Amino acid sequence: MPILPADRDPRLVTVRRGGTLTDEHHHDLARWAVACAEHVLPLFEQARPDDTRPRDALDVARAWIRGDVPMKTAHRTAFTANAAGRDQPPPVKYAALAAGQAVAVAHVAAHDLGAAAYAIRAATADAAARGEDPEAARLAERDWQRTRVPAALRELVLDDQRRRSALCWHVFDD
């Protein structure tokens, strides 16, 4: 199921690609996406302690934010992080996919919501696997993320969550 809409929101497209998103705000979205993915990364690392691909992807995302690696490197790294989740149980898989989406923000800013959505799915699946309330876990993770949205981007992110929640498995629903 795609998490990016067919018609892209110009507020999430960089200025040089015809949108209105500044480089500074693009980097802020990437930082937020990294924070969302890193919050659930322990679910992956506990199950696969010898596999560093998702953590390495978050390091590449940070390097892209600093300007130390090109966008193409970050974009390629997303596939590596995603591959780490293949054939894993849902919490582990979704944590890896969150990291893949976070590093993909370098390529397409709207992947920020993918990182957040997969992180919520990881937390929800983990709660279900432990016999806890998955809905409470979903809301707790969503609310944790919302407190970390950069202030200058809060309205944009919340609006995007409302608009794309159906594409993102309704994890952002109130």
Side-chain angles (χ1 to χ4, degrees):
M1 182 175 205
I3 59 168
L4 296 175
D7 295 321
R8 301 284 170 86
D9 184 337
R11 298 173 302 167
L12 292 166
V13 176
T14 58
V15 171
R16 73 187 150 277
R17 294 178 119 184
T20 61
L21 188 68
T22 66
D23 286 343
E24 177 185 352
H25 286 162
H26 190 182
H27 291 159
D28 287 344
L29 287 173
R31 279 185 202 90
W32 178 67
V34 167
C36 292
E38 195 162 48
H39 194 236
V40 298
L41 188 59
L43 298 174
F44 182 88
E45 292 178 330
Q46 289 165 5
R48 304 288 316 268
D50 295 332
D51 190 343
T52 64
R53 291 177 289 177
R55 180 161 299 279
D56 294 345
L58 298 181
D59 290 341
V60 169
R62 287 187 192 92
W64 174 79
I65 293 165
R66 291 190 310 269
D68 294 341
V69 300
M71 177 275 294
K72 287 184 179 192
T73 299
H75 185 225
R76 278 193 307 270
T77 305
F79 298 105
T80 304
N82 291 342
R86 200 169 291 128
D87 299 323
Q88 297 300 311
V92 178
K93 172 177 141 179
Y94 296 143
L97 292 172
Q101 290 287 308
V103 71
V105 172
H107 175 61
V108 173
H111 280 294
D112 70 316
L113 226 56
Y118 277 119
I120 292 170
R121 291 189 81 188
T124 302
D126 181 57
R130 291 185 288 114
E132 296 177 4
D133 182 1
E135 180 63 5
R138 179 187 74 82
L139 293 171
E141 187 66 22
R142 184 205 63 191
D143 293 348
W144 180 91
Q145 292 176 0
R146 286 180 176 176
T147 65
R148 283 149 181 87
V149 175
L153 298 170
R154 183 169 179 74
E155 288 308 313
L156 171 62
V157 170
L158 293 179
D159 183 52
D160 195 29
Q161 286 181 347
R162 283 187 292 275
R163 293 177 62 219
R164 284 201 283 155
S165 191
L167 290 176
C168 295
W169 312 281
H170 295 280
V171 298
F172 301 115
D173 289 355
D174 290 322

